[in-house]
Amino acid sequence: MSASNEEPNSFLGRMWQQLRRPTARYAMGTLLVSGFFVGIMFWGGFNWSLELTNTETFCVTCHEMEANVYREYKETVHYSNRTGVRATCPDCHVPKTWVHKMARKIKASNELLHHFLGTIDTREKYEAKRLELAKNVWKVMKETDSRECRNCHNFEFMDFVVQEKRSRGRHEEAIDNGMTCIDCHKGIAHELPAGIVGVEGVPNVGNPNLAN
């Protein structure tokens, strides 16, 4: 029997023969290579779509976001400051790690539902829901130890010497008591719900519009 007709004995030889073996119309190798490139295109398209929906521009395409929280945010230090470093909507509300980011995207489907239902499509509806919405965000940030805040702010990176006395004292107290950013800074980027100051664990700090 010629060498060309011998059954390959090695694993690689058998694998190669399998890849060359045709299906009804195409060789298995052709299908796998085609599938590989289709997979790359799909994954690229998926990530492109993911990043497209992870921008501030996309966030404010919803009227209820643009007309309410976005306008409030534009009046804060997170939008405009002396250093020129801006924290956008996704920086604060979308995790950077892939697993947590995907979980957040899945939860966002509920927000899309309420967008189409018009749950908060007027200022009056939004104000009526503001406390509930705020509590939901505070709860998540508390559970994650203010994870998104810590992308920019971290106790380990702070120079307490150059901080104001009041800020230094607050931060030292937070470290000693195991507190997290959202414990004190609930009003840092958006207006607080009416009558919330002094209750629900909201102190008169972290909001430039509140009395010290």
Side-chain angles (χ1 to χ4, degrees), residues 118-176:
T119 304
I120 52 174
D121 59 355
T122 67
R123 183 69 177 181
E124 292 73 23
K125 290 181 181 179
Y126 183 83
E127 287 299 334
K129 284 278 188 178
R130 184 187 283 270
L131 178 58
E132 178 184 344
L133 296 171
K135 284 184 175 181
N136 289 339
V137 174
W138 298 341
K139 180 176 181 292
V140 170
M141 296 185 76
K142 180 72 173 179
E143 292 173 347
T144 62
D145 193 20
S146 304
R147 179 180 53 217
E148 280 60 67
C149 297
R150 295 179 187 278
N151 288 329
C152 296
H153 308 283
N154 196 306
F155 287 137
E156 296 178 6
F157 309 146
M158 292 180 181
D159 187 347
F160 293 121
V161 175
V162 299
Q163 288 186 354
E164 294 181 0
K165 181 179 180 180
R166 180 171 176 271
S167 298
R168 181 169 63 250
R170 289 285 187 175
H171 288 146
E172 290 175 346
E173 178 185 353
I175 293 173
D176 292 340

Side-chain angles (χ1 to χ4, degrees), residues 2-122:
S2 63
S4 60
N5 293 327
E6 291 180 355
E7 189 71 23
N9 295 320
S10 69
F11 173 78
L12 291 177
R14 292 194 300 271
M15 180 65 72
W16 176 246
Q17 285 290 78
Q18 186 66 29
L19 291 176
R20 293 183 60 208
R21 182 176 300 167
T23 59
R25 294 186 60 184
Y26 303 103
M28 185 65 70
T30 301
L31 294 175
L32 287 176
V33 171
S34 299
F36 174 75
F37 284 106
V38 169
I40 290 178
M41 293 177 64
F42 171 80
W43 186 250
F46 174 77
N47 277 282
W48 175 80
S49 301
L50 192 66
E51 292 306 314
L52 183 65
T53 61
N54 200 35
T55 63
E56 187 173 273
T57 302
F58 177 83
C59 292
V60 298
T61 56
C62 292
H63 165 73
E64 52 265 47
M65 294 295 102
E66 190 281 330
N68 296 295
V69 290
Y70 181 65
R71 296 184 185 182
E72 296 170 4
Y73 147 76
K74 290 177 68 176
E75 300 298 321
T76 71
V77 70
H78 278 103
Y79 183 84
S80 180
N81 52 72
R82 61 183 176 82
T83 62
V85 178
R86 177 176 295 175
T88 65
C89 306
D91 290 326
C92 296
H93 295 286
V94 181
K96 294 188 180 297
T97 54
W98 194 85
V99 173
H100 295 112
K101 179 187 293 187
M102 292 308 301
R104 178 67 186 91
K105 292 295 184 180
I106 292 172
K107 290 180 180 179
S109 60
N110 181 60
E111 296 167 13
L112 284 175
L113 172 63
H114 286 284
H115 165 70
F116 292 115
L117 291 176
T119 304
I120 52 174
D121 59 355
T122 67

